């Protein structure tokens, strides 16, 4: 093996190793990013809207339970799909992305679906 072949082999080996390292970082090792969500504002908004409904206390309790289940499901799905950790807004550091509008939109769509 001459020097030129050795250099090409070392270069290709280095590039493959670097590529595998970058792929591993992006797919498995990269830590999730932090985003904030306005839980209090979302819950307050729901309570105000549900107070306007002409329903019984039992129906209101069932609606609140459904809201809580759907909210948990939507936040869990968001965190998984976007590889993000969702924290409440008061715990957020300045400059952190606020995903409240996106999660509220998905929550509204989820609330319109029938329960399984």
């Amino acid at each position: 093996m001459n020097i030129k072949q050795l250099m090409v082999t070392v270069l290709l080996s280095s590039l493959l190793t670097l590529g595998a390292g970058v792929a591993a970082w992006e797919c498995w090792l990269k830590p999730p990013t932090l985003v904030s969500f306005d839980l209090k504002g979302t819950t307050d908004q729901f309570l105000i809207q549900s107070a306007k409904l002409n329903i019984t206390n039992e129906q209101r309790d069932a609606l609140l339970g459904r809201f809580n289940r759907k909210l948990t499901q939507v936040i869990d799905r968001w965190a998984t799909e976007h590889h993000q950790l969702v924290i409440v807004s008061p715990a957020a550091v300045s400059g952190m992305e606020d995903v409240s509008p996106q999660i509220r939109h998905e929550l509204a769509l989820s609330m319109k679906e029938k329960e399984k």
Side-chain angles (χ1 to χ4, degrees), residues 74-82 84 86 99 102-103 106:
V74 167
I75 291 173
D76 287 345
R77 185 172 56 238
W78 177 273
T80 301
E81 289 176 2
H82 294 90
Q84 297 176 327
V86 181
V99 294
Q102 297 93 324
I103 290 179
E106 288 192 25

Side-chain angles (χ1 to χ4, degrees), residues 32-74:
T33 57
L34 289 175
V35 294
S36 67
F37 173 65
D38 184 10
L39 180 62
K40 183 182 181 326
T42 302
T43 304
D44 289 348
Q45 184 179 16
F46 170 76
L47 292 174
I48 290 169
Q49 290 173 347
S50 66
K52 296 176 184 177
L53 299 175
N54 187 19
I55 56 177
T56 66
N57 284 339
E58 291 81 21
Q59 290 171 321
R60 193 172 314 280
D61 289 343
L63 183 61
L64 183 58
R66 183 167 184 258
F67 172 80
N68 286 331
R69 284 189 305 279
K70 293 291 188 174
L71 179 60
T72 301
Q73 290 170 358
V74 167

Side-chain angles (χ1 to χ4, degrees), residues 81-101:
E81 289 176 2
H82 294 90
H83 195 61
Q84 297 176 327
L85 291 176
V86 181
I87 63 171
V88 293
S89 294
V93 180
S94 65
M96 190 175 294
E97 180 185 3
D98 182 18
V99 294
S100 300

